[in-house]
Amino acid sequence: MAKSTLPSLPPALPTFSTLTYTYPLKLLPSTPHILTPHAQTSDEPHVSSNRSNTVTPAHTSPTPIQPTSVPLLFLLTYGGGLVSGDHIALTIHLDPSTRLTTTTQGSTKIFKPPASPTISSSTPPTTRQDLTVHIAPRAARWLAPDPVQPFAGSLYAQTQRFEVEREGSLGVVDWVCGRGGGREGRVGGLRGGGGRNEVWDVFGKDGEGKEKRMLVRDAVVLEGRGIRGRMDGKGVFGTVILRGPLFKGLADFFVEEFKALPRIGGRNWGSGNEVVKELTKKEEWKKRRLEREKEDGLLWTACHVRGCAIVKFAASEVEGARWWLGCMLREEGSVGREFGDGGLMFVR
């Protein structure tokens, strides 16, 4: 067990006061990332934790101030991964008007069960990660780690639950990929695995008991015979979930860009004699992006679901998916403006 205490510096430099964690999890706070001057206002965050792997931005000043930075928290595992049977349970609570960016320093590897006569080959232990996040009114959370990398033969399960109060904002990138080249280079090498993301709306008056209503339950199952043959050669799969005012622009951007994609069977009704016009900067960006999507075998879809935006994507390799995510996020721009450079660290 370890503990980190850092003061909050006036007038608008958020900091972590206390972080507590146990093996195999390590919580590492980084230097807060600076925001651009036109970011939305919020109260100054102050972050604390309890013994059960809990991160809590404590009560802030009631006077709204222009934030100058956003806390950045790294989720680390010893040795860069989790061994068979490891179980991480992390709870994060954001107080009103706070913001937090959470990422990793690299992919989280999921090691396969050891070959041992003491462990039944039919029922080896499953590696688990469970995350619960509560987002108070006007608070915002951006969770953008590197992908999970299960080794061939590994067993992995993940559950993420997000509870969002009024005017709270949530952005999540959740993706999984194969270990690398060769036989283990596809997610289909998993012996068994899956993940579930839930978004809950929390409503009601303070002090009177708040109610919760599920908005989205998104589940991915990566197991069963013949899964490798059903993956169409894709080596990385991911989901982006967006909700709340801070992510509305990004959510609409994904959905509108998806609507504008060329459709299978679509025809160009031009005569072929049209005058070639100079493309605008946005048109040049879209042309390059579509060409790169084709090269990387990237497929994606986006839609609005009960106040959330859900984006699904798949690509042949991790770098293709990483390039596409970075391309979309930088073009729209709100993640960099509202969460600083740390919000885009995972796509560099």
Side-chain angles (χ1 to χ4, degrees):
M1 178 181 293
K3 184 176 291 185
S4 173
T5 302
L6 296 172
S8 178
L9 303 178
L13 290 176
T15 185
F16 295 95
S17 60
T18 303
L19 299 175
T20 302
Y21 51 88
T22 57
Y23 180 88
L25 176 66
K26 183 176 183 180
L27 303 177
L28 178 64
S30 177
T31 302
H33 282 245
I34 304 301
L35 294 180
T36 53
H38 56 277
Q40 295 183 359
T41 60
S42 75
D43 299 333
E44 179 181 352
H46 187 72
V47 185
S48 63
S49 166
N50 63 28
R51 293 184 61 182
S52 59
N53 294 335
T54 301
V55 184
T56 306
H59 294 292
T60 59
S61 169
T63 304
I65 58 176
Q66 179 71 19
T68 59
S69 61
V70 172
L72 175 64
L73 181 66
F74 287 99
L75 306 182
L76 306 180
T77 53
Y78 292 85
L82 299 172
V83 300
S84 178
D86 278 347
H87 182 191
I88 287 178
L90 173 64
T91 300
I92 298 178
H93 184 94
L94 277 71
D95 272 4
S97 301
T98 59
R99 296 185 195 178
L100 178 66
T101 299
T102 308
T103 188
T104 57
Q105 289 185 322
S107 61
T108 300
K109 296 176 176 60
I110 309 299
F111 298 98
K112 63 183 179 180
S116 171
T118 62
I119 300 177
S120 172
S121 59
S122 61
T123 58
T126 298
T127 304
R128 297 190 57 88
Q129 288 198 91
D130 297 323
L131 171 66
T132 301
V133 179
H134 185 93
I135 301 174
R138 301 175 304 283
R141 169 74 187 280
W142 175 238
L143 173 61
D146 289 276
V148 172
Q149 277 190 319
F151 280 40
S154 60
L155 288 162
Y156 178 67
Q158 173 181 287
T159 301
Q160 299 187 131
R161 177 185 172 110
F162 305 96
E163 301 175 352
V164 187
E165 296 195 52
R166 67 184 187 279
E167 299 183 36
S169 297
L170 169 69
V172 180
V173 180
D174 179 21
W175 48 333
V176 59
C177 67
R179 180 190 173 206
R183 183 174 60 86
E184 298 180 336
R186 292 289 177 263
V187 184
L190 268 171
R191 179 169 181 168
R196 185 173 75 244
N197 292 303
E198 296 179 355
V199 180
W200 291 73
D201 180 28
V202 181
F203 55 95
K205 295 183 179 180
D206 293 333
E208 298 182 2
K210 295 188 177 181
E211 299 182 48
K212 299 177 183 179
R213 177 185 59 161
M214 181 183 289
L215 300 176
V216 170
R217 172 178 284 165
D218 179 79
V220 175
V221 178
L222 297 171
E223 59 185 14
R225 291 187 176 183
I227 184 175
R228 191 188 302 271
R230 302 196 304 270
M231 295 172 65
D232 195 29
K234 304 304 179 188
V236 54
F237 294 86
T239 302
V240 180
I241 300 177
L242 304 167
R243 176 172 173 81
L246 219 59
F247 292 104
K248 184 180 185 305
L250 181 59
D252 292 343
F253 177 76
F254 270 110
V255 173
E256 292 304 314
E257 285 299 315
F258 175 70
K259 290 179 180 178
L261 285 177
R263 299 304 177 205
I264 296 176
R267 295 184 59 183
N268 180 1
W269 295 98
S271 64
N273 298 320
E274 293 82 2
V275 177
V276 178
K277 65 176 183 179
E278 185 175 350
L279 298 179
T280 65
K281 185 176 180 180
K282 178 64 178 292
E283 290 171 337
E284 285 282 4
W285 169 82
K286 183 173 293 188
K287 179 182 177 182
R288 291 195 303 270
R289 196 200 82 214
L290 291 175
E291 291 173 349
R292 180 66 184 266
E293 287 179 11
K294 185 176 181 180
E295 293 174 4
D296 293 330
L298 192 137
L299 302 174
W300 67 284
T301 182
C303 65
H304 289 297
V305 179
R306 304 185 72 183
C308 303
I310 309 297
V311 182
K312 292 284 188 176
F313 63 91
S316 301
E317 303 291 343
V318 174
E319 288 311 310
R322 193 188 305 275
W323 183 91
W324 176 79
L325 283 168
C327 179
M328 297 292 282
L329 295 176
R330 293 187 183 97
E331 177 66 18
E332 194 276 333
S334 63
V335 169
R337 290 194 305 269
E338 305 297 349
F339 292 88
D341 292 341
L344 299 173
M345 185 171 295
F346 79 113
V347 291
R348 292 176 185 167

